[in-house]
Amino acid sequence: MAVQHTSAPAHSVAQAPIAQPLWWLQPLTVVAVLGGFSGYAFWSVVVAPSGYEFGNYLSPFYSPLIQLGFWPFSPAILIAGFPLLFRATCYYYRKAYYRSFFWDPPSCAIAELGSAKSKAAYRGESRFPLVLLNFHRFFLYAALVVVAFLWVDAARGFIFDGRLGLGLGSIVLLVNVVLLTAYTFSCHSLRHLVGGGLDCFSCSRARYSFWQMLSRINPNHGMFAWFSLFSVVAADLYVRLLSAGILTDLRFF
Ligand code: FES
């Protein structure tokens, strides 16, 4: 018996774009936050090379602190580029700024910018300059080293005149390094580095266990990306405000 289809197949129906009220709010917020962070990071790293240290507290933009006698510029320039490029080439941030800054596309069901000609010429990340984003894995190696130094700085934040202590700055630096570690260890490149290229997980139990651990935090990478962005600025600002005498560190013991 012939079967009668009462509705046309889905692919034959022209789908009208679904109107999304306030769709522009998310890209606008991303532009404001990423633009604000970039401006602040530039000011802290390049324009204001003083006030980045207060007692046992060191701004994360300046860690590890490299002071060369012949270097007339901010010491942060020697080091901050690596974690900043790690962030700039992050797969999660790429999605965020492609949508928000390049409107490529800005949101679901919203047309992307650009003429048909420019779209036809688009080669994604296989051509210069976007192909440089593939260096992400190398910035990851540098970021892992920087995170190790930040843990040392966070530990130093608990030592006051050779004795164990606790100040609000100790907590600020500790929270920051925890969030940065979560951001770095939830990186897609690191997960691939640990678990990729293996044909047999049971042949490498250590890598498999580590990969499982990374896979648990990896789905939250976007959240850690935003939280750690704010925590870096908060830690730098807190140290600077102490250094400028505007704030007094709250000491618990
Ligand atoms: S994918 Fe975001 S830091 Fe690697």
Side-chain angles (χ1 to χ4, degrees), residues 9 20 40 45 54 58 65 70 85 98 129 135 154 162 169 172 174 181 193 202 217 224 229 231 240 243:
Q20 296 190 72
Y40 182 87
V45 169
F54 181 78
L58 175 66
L65 188 56
F70 62 85
L85 285 169
Y98 278 4
F135 281 106
V172 168
L174 181 64
T181 303
L193 185 71
S202 60
I217 59 172
F224 295 134
L229 195 79
S231 72
R240 287 182 178 279
S243 178

Side-chain angles (χ1 to χ4, degrees), residues 123-244:
R123 292 290 177 271
E125 294 169 355
S126 62
R127 295 279 191 281
F128 183 84
L130 294 183
V131 71
L132 296 178
L133 294 174
N134 292 305
F135 281 106
H136 182 65
R137 75 191 71 172
F138 300 107
F139 294 125
L140 163 68
Y141 305 148
L144 288 168
V145 175
V146 171
V147 164
F149 278 101
L150 287 172
W151 274 104
V152 174
D153 293 339
R156 280 185 55 233
F158 287 85
I159 309 295
F160 296 86
D161 299 323
R163 298 165 67 102
L164 192 64
L166 179 66
L168 183 56
S170 323
I171 297 171
V172 168
L173 293 185
L174 181 64
V175 169
N176 177 50
V177 75
V178 167
L179 289 172
L180 282 174
T181 303
Y183 171 60
T184 307
F185 278 77
S186 58
C187 167
H188 305 308
S189 284
L190 182 61
R191 183 168 171 266
H192 175 73
L193 185 71
V194 172
L198 273 182
D199 291 331
C200 169
F201 267 142
S202 60
C203 305
S204 180
R205 301 299 305 178
R207 282 181 67 180
Y208 181 50
S209 301
F210 193 25
W211 177 83
Q212 279 185 310
M213 192 196 83
L214 297 182
S215 298
R216 274 196 285 276
I217 59 172
N218 175 265
N220 295 315
H221 186 59
M223 179 183 72
F224 295 134
W226 291 118
F227 283 4
S228 62
L229 195 79
F230 289 113
S231 72
V232 171
V233 171
D236 178 85
L237 195 58
Y238 187 72
V239 173
R240 287 182 178 279
L241 290 175
L242 292 178
S243 178

